[in-house]
Amino acid sequence: RKEVEQDPGPFNVPEGATVAFNCTYSNSASQSFFWYRQDCRKEPKLLMSVYSSGNEDGRFTAQLNRASQYISLLIRDSKLSDSATYLCVVRLDTGRRALTFGSGTRLQVQP
Amino acid sequence: GAGVSQTPSNKVTEKGKYVELRCDPISGHTALYWYRQSLGQGPEFLIYFQGTGAADDSGLPNDRFFAVRPEGSVSTLKIQRTERGDSAVYLCASSLGTGSEAFFGQGTRLTVV
């Protein structure tokens, strides 16, 4: 079983739509959680950290459910420029400190 | 520039050859990570340095892969006897510390023919 699992998509949505991505992680010792965005043939970039209480950054809302080991990302009012792959990322705070990535969910926003 | 720099950006090599991939982290970043990414997959962890030492090399797939960071700044990933399965984008990232945001370089696209 992969440490971080995501639906690969693609999610094809019209501009202005609301779209949600989910992710599950297997290691209950995971302590830090992130969403990264990766454009085609580019490097991953941090989109937002995910906090236990949930957090929002403009049109983006991230939620964490530790009991279910589940993370979500909600994008409201989708823009064409949101088209990218969204990577769910976790990190242990002991042992392996490096980031562990999911395979990513591809989003295509259509005009 | 001020970002993570990786060279070369592209490398084509013949099966069985030796390659070196270089990563120049952001100045002052003590943590450095190597990942590789195959098409349609997320980055896969290879090795992580804290300063000059490899704090975790558990992601290196076999003993053909080796990485160094002798002065705690630039790092080199070395691959011996390359195989076609080594073809991927090799990504380097750095951060101020292990709990800080990691910034990625644009990667080296390695093709083994």
Side-chain angles (χ1 to χ4, degrees), chain A residues 42-44, chain B residues 1 3-11 20-26 32-37 46 74-77 88-94 103-110:
Chain A
K42 298 287 189 182
E43 74 276 21
Chain B
V4 178
S5 174
Q6 291 187 246
T7 54
S9 54
N10 281 284
K11 175 74 177 176
E20 289 190 353
L21 312 179
R22 177 188 167 109
C23 173
D24 235 303
I26 293 171
L32 184 147
Y33 311 84
W34 282 100
Y35 288 81
R36 73 176 173 182
Q37 187 172 26
L46 295 177
V74 170
S75 176
T76 305
L77 178 66
V89 176
Y90 288 80
L91 292 163
C92 175
S94 71
F103 295 85
F104 282 82
Q106 293 198 324
T108 294
R109 185 174 298 277
L110 175 67

Short mmCIF file of all heavy atoms in Angstrom, two decimals, chain A residues 42-44, chain B residues 1 3-11 20-26 32-37 46 74-77 88-94 103-110:
data_model
loop_
_atom_site.label_atom_id
_atom_site.label_comp_id
_atom_site.label_asym_id
_atom_site.label_seq_id
_atom_site.Cartn_x
_atom_site.Cartn_y
_atom_site.Cartn_z
N LYS A 42 7.22 21.20 -14.76
CA LYS A 42 7.81 22.16 -13.82
C LYS A 42 8.01 21.48 -12.47
O LYS A 42 7.55 20.36 -12.25
CB LYS A 42 6.88 23.37 -13.63
CG LYS A 42 6.63 24.16 -14.90
CD LYS A 42 7.85 24.97 -15.28
CE LYS A 42 7.53 25.93 -16.40
NZ LYS A 42 8.71 26.70 -16.81
N GLU A 43 8.69 22.18 -11.57
CA GLU A 43 8.93 21.62 -10.25
C GLU A 43 7.71 21.83 -9.34
O GLU A 43 6.93 22.75 -9.55
CB GLU A 43 10.18 22.26 -9.62
CG GLU A 43 10.00 23.70 -9.14
CD GLU A 43 10.18 24.73 -10.23
OE1 GLU A 43 10.05 24.40 -11.43
OE2 GLU A 43 10.45 25.89 -9.86
N PRO A 44 7.55 20.98 -8.32
CA PRO A 44 6.46 21.19 -7.35
C PRO A 44 6.70 22.47 -6.55
O PRO A 44 7.83 22.81 -6.22
CB PRO A 44 6.56 19.97 -6.44
CG PRO A 44 7.42 18.99 -7.13
CD PRO A 44 8.34 19.78 -8.00
N GLY B 1 20.50 33.26 -9.79
CA GLY B 1 19.25 33.52 -9.10
C GLY B 1 19.28 33.04 -7.66
O GLY B 1 20.23 32.41 -7.22
N GLY B 3 17.10 30.87 -6.31
CA GLY B 3 16.43 29.59 -6.11
C GLY B 3 17.40 28.42 -6.12
O GLY B 3 18.63 28.59 -6.20
N VAL B 4 16.85 27.21 -6.03
CA VAL B 4 17.64 25.99 -6.14
C VAL B 4 18.01 25.79 -7.61
O VAL B 4 17.13 25.85 -8.48
CB VAL B 4 16.84 24.78 -5.62
CG1 VAL B 4 17.67 23.50 -5.79
CG2 VAL B 4 16.45 24.99 -4.16
N SER B 5 19.27 25.56 -7.86
CA SER B 5 19.75 25.41 -9.23
C SER B 5 20.22 23.98 -9.45
O SER B 5 21.00 23.44 -8.64
CB SER B 5 20.90 26.39 -9.47
OG SER B 5 21.47 26.17 -10.74
N GLN B 6 19.79 23.37 -10.53
CA GLN B 6 20.22 22.01 -10.86
C GLN B 6 20.83 21.99 -12.25
O GLN B 6 20.31 22.60 -13.18
CB GLN B 6 19.03 21.04 -10.83
CG GLN B 6 18.49 20.79 -9.44
CD GLN B 6 17.45 19.70 -9.42
OE1 GLN B 6 16.28 19.94 -9.15
NE2 GLN B 6 17.89 18.47 -9.70
N THR B 7 21.94 21.29 -12.35
CA THR B 7 22.59 21.14 -13.65
C THR B 7 23.03 19.70 -13.86
O THR B 7 23.37 19.01 -12.89
CB THR B 7 23.83 22.06 -13.77
OG1 THR B 7 24.69 21.81 -12.66
CG2 THR B 7 23.43 23.52 -13.81
N PRO B 8 23.01 19.20 -15.11
CA PRO B 8 22.41 19.86 -16.26
C PRO B 8 20.90 19.81 -16.20
O PRO B 8 20.33 19.09 -15.39
CB PRO B 8 22.95 19.03 -17.43
CG PRO B 8 23.09 17.66 -16.86
CD PRO B 8 23.52 17.86 -15.42
N SER B 9 20.23 20.53 -17.07
CA SER B 9 18.77 20.44 -17.08
C SER B 9 18.31 19.18 -17.80
O SER B 9 17.26 18.62 -17.47
CB SER B 9 18.17 21.68 -17.75
OG SER B 9 18.73 21.87 -19.02
N ASN B 10 19.11 18.74 -18.76
CA ASN B 10 18.83 17.50 -19.48
C ASN B 10 20.13 16.73 -19.63
O ASN B 10 21.18 17.31 -19.86
CB ASN B 10 18.29 17.79 -20.88
CG ASN B 10 16.82 18.16 -20.87
OD1 ASN B 10 15.97 17.30 -20.73
ND2 ASN B 10 16.54 19.43 -20.98
N LYS B 11 20.00 15.40 -19.51
CA LYS B 11 21.18 14.55 -19.70
C LYS B 11 20.74 13.27 -20.39
O LYS B 11 19.85 12.57 -19.90
CB LYS B 11 21.81 14.22 -18.34
CG LYS B 11 22.98 13.25 -18.40
CD LYS B 11 24.22 13.90 -18.94
CE LYS B 11 25.39 12.94 -18.93
NZ LYS B 11 26.60 13.55 -19.57
N GLU B 20 26.69 12.19 -13.18
CA GLU B 20 26.66 13.02 -11.98
C GLU B 20 25.66 14.14 -12.20
O GLU B 20 25.69 14.81 -13.24
CB GLU B 20 28.03 13.63 -11.69
CG GLU B 20 29.06 12.64 -11.21
CD GLU B 20 30.32 13.32 -10.71
OE1 GLU B 20 30.45 14.55 -10.85
OE2 GLU B 20 31.19 12.60 -10.17
N LEU B 21 24.80 14.34 -11.22
CA LEU B 21 23.82 15.41 -11.28
C LEU B 21 24.11 16.36 -10.12
O LEU B 21 24.30 15.92 -8.99
CB LEU B 21 22.39 14.84 -11.15
CG LEU B 21 22.05 13.64 -12.04
CD1 LEU B 21 20.63 13.19 -11.77
CD2 LEU B 21 22.26 13.94 -13.49
N ARG B 22 24.07 17.65 -10.42
CA ARG B 22 24.48 18.63 -9.42
C ARG B 22 23.30 19.45 -8.92
O ARG B 22 22.41 19.79 -9.70
CB ARG B 22 25.52 19.56 -10.04
CG ARG B 22 25.99 20.69 -9.13
CD ARG B 22 26.88 21.66 -9.90
NE ARG B 22 27.08 22.90 -9.16
CZ ARG B 22 28.22 23.25 -8.59
NH1 ARG B 22 29.28 22.46 -8.67
NH2 ARG B 22 28.33 24.40 -7.94
N CYS B 23 23.35 19.78 -7.63
CA CYS B 23 22.32 20.63 -7.03
C CYS B 23 22.99 21.72 -6.21
O CYS B 23 23.81 21.45 -5.33
CB CYS B 23 21.42 19.79 -6.13
SG CYS B 23 20.23 20.78 -5.18
N ASP B 24 22.58 22.97 -6.50
CA ASP B 24 23.05 24.13 -5.75
C ASP B 24 21.87 24.64 -4.94
O ASP B 24 20.93 25.21 -5.51
CB ASP B 24 23.47 25.22 -6.75
CG ASP B 24 24.86 25.68 -6.52
OD1 ASP B 24 25.15 26.12 -5.39
OD2 ASP B 24 25.66 25.61 -7.48
N PRO B 25 21.85 24.44 -3.63
CA PRO B 25 20.67 24.83 -2.85
C PRO B 25 20.63 26.33 -2.63
O PRO B 25 21.57 27.05 -2.96
CB PRO B 25 20.90 24.09 -1.53
CG PRO B 25 22.39 24.05 -1.39
CD PRO B 25 22.91 23.87 -2.79
N ILE B 26 19.56 26.79 -2.06
CA ILE B 26 19.44 28.19 -1.66
C ILE B 26 20.47 28.45 -0.54
O ILE B 26 20.60 27.62 0.37
CB ILE B 26 18.02 28.51 -1.20
CG1 ILE B 26 17.05 28.39 -2.39
CG2 ILE B 26 17.92 29.88 -0.56
CD1 ILE B 26 15.58 28.46 -2.04
N LEU B 32 18.87 19.40 2.56
CA LEU B 32 18.85 19.20 1.11
C LEU B 32 18.30 17.81 0.82
O LEU B 32 18.67 16.85 1.49
CB LEU B 32 20.26 19.37 0.52
CG LEU B 32 20.40 19.29 -1.00
CD1 LEU B 32 21.50 20.21 -1.50
CD2 LEU B 32 20.62 17.88 -1.49
N TYR B 33 17.43 17.73 -0.16
CA TYR B 33 16.73 16.49 -0.48
C TYR B 33 16.91 16.18 -1.96
O TYR B 33 16.86 17.07 -2.80
CB TYR B 33 15.23 16.63 -0.22
CG TYR B 33 14.85 17.20 1.12
CD1 TYR B 33 14.83 18.58 1.32
CD2 TYR B 33 14.50 16.38 2.18
CE1 TYR B 33 14.47 19.12 2.54
CE2 TYR B 33 14.13 16.91 3.42
CZ TYR B 33 14.12 18.29 3.59
OH TYR B 33 13.76 18.82 4.80
N TRP B 34 17.02 14.90 -2.26
CA TRP B 34 16.96 14.43 -3.65
C TRP B 34 15.72 13.55 -3.80
O TRP B 34 15.44 12.69 -2.94
CB TRP B 34 18.19 13.60 -4.01
CG TRP B 34 19.42 14.39 -4.30
CD1 TRP B 34 20.47 14.61 -3.46
CD2 TRP B 34 19.76 15.03 -5.53
NE1 TRP B 34 21.43 15.37 -4.10
CE2 TRP B 34 21.03 15.63 -5.37
CE3 TRP B 34 19.12 15.15 -6.77
CZ2 TRP B 34 21.66 16.34 -6.38
CZ3 TRP B 34 19.76 15.86 -7.78
CH2 TRP B 34 21.01 16.44 -7.59
N TYR B 35 15.01 13.79 -4.88
CA TYR B 35 13.85 12.99 -5.26
C TYR B 35 14.00 12.61 -6.73
O TYR B 35 14.72 13.27 -7.47
CB TYR B 35 12.55 13.79 -5.11
CG TYR B 35 12.11 14.05 -3.69
CD1 TYR B 35 12.67 15.08 -2.95
CD2 TYR B 35 11.12 13.27 -3.10
CE1 TYR B 35 12.26 15.32 -1.64
CE2 TYR B 35 10.70 13.50 -1.80
CZ TYR B 35 11.27 14.53 -1.08
OH TYR B 35 10.87 14.77 0.21
N ARG B 36 13.27 11.57 -7.15
CA ARG B 36 13.14 11.35 -8.58
C ARG B 36 11.66 11.17 -8.90
O ARG B 36 10.89 10.66 -8.08
CB ARG B 36 13.97 10.17 -9.08
CG ARG B 36 13.47 8.80 -8.74
CD ARG B 36 14.34 7.76 -9.40
NE ARG B 36 13.98 6.42 -8.93
CZ ARG B 36 14.59 5.32 -9.31
NH1 ARG B 36 15.61 5.38 -10.16
NH2 ARG B 36 14.20 4.15 -8.86
N GLN B 37 11.31 11.60 -10.10
CA GLN B 37 9.92 11.59 -10.50
C GLN B 37 9.79 10.98 -11.88
O GLN B 37 10.39 11.46 -12.84
CB GLN B 37 9.35 13.01 -10.48
CG GLN B 37 7.85 13.06 -10.72
CD GLN B 37 7.27 14.44 -10.51
OE1 GLN B 37 7.95 15.45 -10.64
NE2 GLN B 37 5.98 14.51 -10.16
N LEU B 46 14.69 9.96 -2.30
CA LEU B 46 15.94 9.22 -2.46
C LEU B 46 16.81 9.36 -1.22
O LEU B 46 17.17 8.39 -0.57
CB LEU B 46 16.70 9.71 -3.69
CG LEU B 46 16.03 9.49 -5.05
CD1 LEU B 46 16.88 10.10 -6.16
CD2 LEU B 46 15.82 8.00 -5.31
N VAL B 74 26.60 22.58 -1.96
CA VAL B 74 26.34 21.86 -3.21
C VAL B 74 26.32 20.35 -2.95
O VAL B 74 27.09 19.82 -2.16
CB VAL B 74 27.43 22.20 -4.24
CG1 VAL B 74 27.34 21.30 -5.46
CG2 VAL B 74 27.34 23.67 -4.63
N SER B 75 25.40 19.69 -3.65
CA SER B 75 25.32 18.24 -3.55
C SER B 75 25.41 17.63 -4.95
O SER B 75 24.97 18.24 -5.93
CB SER B 75 24.01 17.82 -2.90
OG SER B 75 23.88 16.40 -2.87
N THR B 76 25.98 16.44 -5.02
CA THR B 76 26.07 15.70 -6.28
C THR B 76 25.45 14.33 -6.09
O THR B 76 25.79 13.62 -5.14
CB THR B 76 27.53 15.54 -6.72
OG1 THR B 76 28.16 16.81 -6.78
CG2 THR B 76 27.61 14.88 -8.10
N LEU B 77 24.53 13.98 -6.98
CA LEU B 77 23.96 12.64 -7.02
C LEU B 77 24.69 11.88 -8.11
O LEU B 77 24.79 12.35 -9.25
CB LEU B 77 22.46 12.70 -7.33
CG LEU B 77 21.72 11.37 -7.44
CD1 LEU B 77 21.70 10.64 -6.11
CD2 LEU B 77 20.29 11.58 -7.94
N ALA B 88 14.31 9.34 -15.61
CA ALA B 88 13.32 10.05 -14.78
C ALA B 88 13.78 11.49 -14.67
O ALA B 88 14.86 11.86 -15.16
CB ALA B 88 13.24 9.44 -13.38
N VAL B 89 12.96 12.32 -14.00
CA VAL B 89 13.40 13.66 -13.63
C VAL B 89 13.91 13.58 -12.19
O VAL B 89 13.20 13.10 -11.30
CB VAL B 89 12.25 14.68 -13.73
CG1 VAL B 89 12.71 16.05 -13.23
CG2 VAL B 89 11.76 14.78 -15.17
N TYR B 90 15.13 14.04 -11.99
CA TYR B 90 15.73 14.04 -10.66
C TYR B 90 15.60 15.44 -10.09
O TYR B 90 16.12 16.41 -10.65
CB TYR B 90 17.18 13.56 -10.73
CG TYR B 90 17.25 12.08 -11.00
CD1 TYR B 90 17.08 11.58 -12.30
CD2 TYR B 90 17.41 11.16 -9.97
CE1 TYR B 90 17.08 10.22 -12.54
CE2 TYR B 90 17.42 9.80 -10.21
CZ TYR B 90 17.25 9.34 -11.49
OH TYR B 90 17.25 7.97 -11.73
N LEU B 91 14.89 15.54 -8.98
CA LEU B 91 14.58 16.82 -8.36
C LEU B 91 15.39 16.99 -7.08
O LEU B 91 15.52 16.05 -6.30
CB LEU B 91 13.09 16.90 -8.00
CG LEU B 91 12.10 16.95 -9.16
CD1 LEU B 91 10.69 16.61 -8.68
CD2 LEU B 91 12.11 18.32 -9.80
N CYS B 92 15.87 18.18 -6.88
CA CYS B 92 16.56 18.53 -5.65
C CYS B 92 15.74 19.61 -4.95
O CYS B 92 15.13 20.47 -5.61
CB CYS B 92 17.96 19.06 -5.98
SG CYS B 92 18.89 19.65 -4.56
N ALA B 93 15.69 19.56 -3.64
CA ALA B 93 15.00 20.59 -2.87
C ALA B 93 15.86 20.96 -1.68
O ALA B 93 16.68 20.17 -1.20
CB ALA B 93 13.64 20.07 -2.39
N SER B 94 15.67 22.18 -1.19
CA SER B 94 16.38 22.59 0.02
C SER B 94 15.43 23.35 0.94
O SER B 94 14.40 23.88 0.50
CB SER B 94 17.61 23.45 -0.31
OG SER B 94 17.25 24.74 -0.77
N PHE B 103 11.96 24.11 -1.05
CA PHE B 103 11.93 24.72 -2.37
C PHE B 103 12.64 23.79 -3.35
O PHE B 103 13.76 23.35 -3.07
CB PHE B 103 12.63 26.09 -2.35
CG PHE B 103 11.93 27.10 -1.48
CD1 PHE B 103 12.19 27.17 -0.12
CD2 PHE B 103 11.02 27.98 -2.04
CE1 PHE B 103 11.55 28.09 0.69
CE2 PHE B 103 10.38 28.92 -1.23
CZ PHE B 103 10.64 28.98 0.12
N PHE B 104 11.99 23.54 -4.47
CA PHE B 104 12.53 22.61 -5.45
C PHE B 104 13.25 23.33 -6.57
O PHE B 104 12.87 24.44 -6.97
CB PHE B 104 11.41 21.77 -6.06
CG PHE B 104 10.95 20.65 -5.18
CD1 PHE B 104 10.03 20.89 -4.16
CD2 PHE B 104 11.43 19.36 -5.36
CE1 PHE B 104 9.61 19.86 -3.34
CE2 PHE B 104 11.00 18.33 -4.54
CZ PHE B 104 10.10 18.58 -3.53
N GLY B 105 14.27 22.68 -7.10
CA GLY B 105 14.86 23.10 -8.36
C GLY B 105 14.02 22.60 -9.51
O GLY B 105 13.06 21.84 -9.31
N GLN B 106 14.41 22.98 -10.73
CA GLN B 106 13.61 22.61 -11.90
C GLN B 106 13.90 21.19 -12.37
O GLN B 106 13.23 20.69 -13.26
CB GLN B 106 13.83 23.62 -13.02
CG GLN B 106 13.26 24.98 -12.64
CD GLN B 106 13.05 25.87 -13.85
OE1 GLN B 106 13.84 25.84 -14.78
NE2 GLN B 106 12.01 26.68 -13.83
N GLY B 107 14.88 20.57 -11.76
CA GLY B 107 15.12 19.16 -12.05
C GLY B 107 16.10 18.91 -13.18
O GLY B 107 16.37 19.79 -14.01
N THR B 108 16.65 17.71 -13.17
CA THR B 108 17.46 17.21 -14.29
C THR B 108 16.71 16.05 -14.91
O THR B 108 16.39 15.08 -14.23
CB THR B 108 18.84 16.73 -13.81
OG1 THR B 108 19.59 17.83 -13.33
CG2 THR B 108 19.59 16.04 -14.96
N ARG B 109 16.41 16.17 -16.20
CA ARG B 109 15.74 15.09 -16.92
C ARG B 109 16.80 14.14 -17.44
O ARG B 109 17.57 14.49 -18.34
CB ARG B 109 14.89 15.64 -18.06
CG ARG B 109 14.07 14.58 -18.79
CD ARG B 109 13.14 15.24 -19.82
NE ARG B 109 12.18 16.13 -19.16
CZ ARG B 109 11.04 15.73 -18.59
NH1 ARG B 109 10.70 14.46 -18.63
NH2 ARG B 109 10.24 16.60 -18.03
N LEU B 110 16.86 12.94 -16.86
CA LEU B 110 17.85 11.95 -17.26
C LEU B 110 17.20 10.92 -18.17
O LEU B 110 16.16 10.35 -17.83
CB LEU B 110 18.43 11.24 -16.03
CG LEU B 110 19.41 10.09 -16.31
CD1 LEU B 110 20.69 10.62 -16.95
CD2 LEU B 110 19.73 9.31 -15.04
#
